[in-house]
Amino acid sequence: GAGVSQSPRYKVAKRGQDVALRCDPISGHVSLFWYQQALGQGPEFLTYFQNEAQLDKSGLPSDRFFAERPEGSVSTLKIQRTQQEDSAVYLCASSLRDSNSPLHFGNGTRLTVT
Amino acid sequence: AQSVTQLDSQVPVFEEAPVELRCNYSSSVSVYLFWYVQYPNQGLQLLLKYLSGSTLVESINGFEAEFNKSQTSFHLRKPSVHISDTAEYFCAVSRYGGATNKLIFGTGTLLAVQP
């Protein structure tokens, strides 16, 4: 288990359903980031944790998006009442610490809202 | 606010030819600069970064990028590409003094190396 693991790999939700996306960072990594990548676009920052503290959630698109990392390890990104515009790949990344540490990305969860 | 522009969505090139992937950024404050690469069916990986010091930075697989402050550019170059370099390349910036890994990405450039 050397890398960042995300599950599920694919998720199809009907509009209005709630979804939960899981991220297992590299063991010992303090910083954890969530990014959203729409089709044909680069990743966009959603939120950032240092240990269990959510230091920045300025990128969350609406109050339907919620992220947590209660024990400073696994993180969950929850989207309530999904909309079609939420369809994207959700990327999780971790780093040993924030300053001067490279980000290690997971393979992402592809969310399709129908 | 910062923004990143990668004008070329796709760059086809023959094997062993040189390549340049262009990246320009806009920012009212100093920035850190990055190139990330995404190989087929893999996650994003850091290729190289400029934080401070020498404006020319190199990766272990022969890529290099030069920070040009006056032109606000951070173009990626390789003198001779291989088939295995086929991937999507993303340029990114983050604000100096902020969270280093709070990145603003460009839209990506697909490097397609042909035999």
Side-chain angles (χ1 to χ4, degrees):
Chain A
V4 176
S5 177
Q6 292 186 246
S7 60
R9 188 77 175 88
Y10 302 94
K11 176 69 178 178
V12 178
K14 291 186 178 179
R15 194 173 64 152
Q17 283 185 331
D18 298 348
V19 298
L21 312 180
R22 178 187 170 104
C23 173
D24 283 87
I26 294 173
S27 178
H29 278 198
V30 167
S31 297
L32 185 146
F33 291 76
W34 284 98
Y35 285 84
Q36 178 192 58
Q37 187 175 15
L39 189 64
Q41 302 297 314
E44 292 191 3
F45 170 80
L46 293 177
T47 186
Y48 152 54
F49 292 85
Q50 189 163 307
N51 295 308
E52 69 278 4
Q54 189 173 20
L55 298 187
D56 187 335
K57 55 181 182 179
S58 62
L60 295 177
S62 75
D63 58 8
R64 296 186 296 104
F65 286 72
F66 173 76
E68 61 183 4
R69 194 187 185 198
E71 297 178 359
S73 179
V74 171
S75 177
T76 303
L77 177 66
K78 298 179 179 177
I79 309 174
Q80 296 177 324
R81 304 182 303 282
T82 52
Q83 304 294 316
Q84 281 194 319
E85 61 263 28
D86 300 335
S87 295
V89 176
Y90 290 85
L91 300 171
C92 177
S94 69
S95 64
L96 187 59
R97 54 188 185 279
D98 180 56
S99 299
N100 298 337
S101 295
L103 267 182
H104 297 263
F105 281 85
N107 286 344
T109 293
R110 182 178 297 277
L111 172 65
T112 303
V113 182
T114 61
Chain B
Q2 293 80 45
S3 66
V4 177
T5 301
Q6 292 181 253
L7 287 175
D8 304 308
S9 60
Q10 188 167 351
V11 173
V13 63
F14 287 107
E15 194 173 18
E16 298 184 4
V19 70
E20 177 180 83
L21 306 184
R22 296 180 294 168
C23 173
N24 288 88
Y25 70 93
S26 173
S27 177
S28 57
V29 299
S30 296
V31 295
Y32 301 123
L33 295 148
F34 306 81
W35 276 98
Y36 277 80
V37 58
Q38 187 169 27
Y39 298 103
N41 300 315
Q42 295 186 28
L44 282 160
Q45 302 172 33
L46 178 65
L47 185 62
L48 46 76
K49 63 184 178 183
Y50 170 77
L51 300 182
S52 64
S54 172
T55 56
L56 183 65
V57 290
E58 298 177 352
S59 71
I60 58 173
N61 59 349
F63 282 93
E64 65 178 28
E66 185 161 21
F67 169 47
N68 187 319
K69 189 173 182 179
S70 62
Q71 297 186 3
T72 60
S73 67
F74 192 55
H75 301 330
L76 183 70
R77 301 183 182 94
K78 189 170 185 180
S80 175
V81 295
H82 302 287
I83 295 286
S84 60
D85 293 323
T86 294
E88 184 117 35
Y89 292 79
F90 292 92
C91 182
V93 303
S94 64
R95 185 175 61 87
Y96 177 81
T100 307
N101 287 320
K102 181 181 177 182
L103 301 170
I104 297 165
F105 284 88
T107 52
T109 297
L110 177 62
L111 176 62
V113 182
Q114 304 164 19

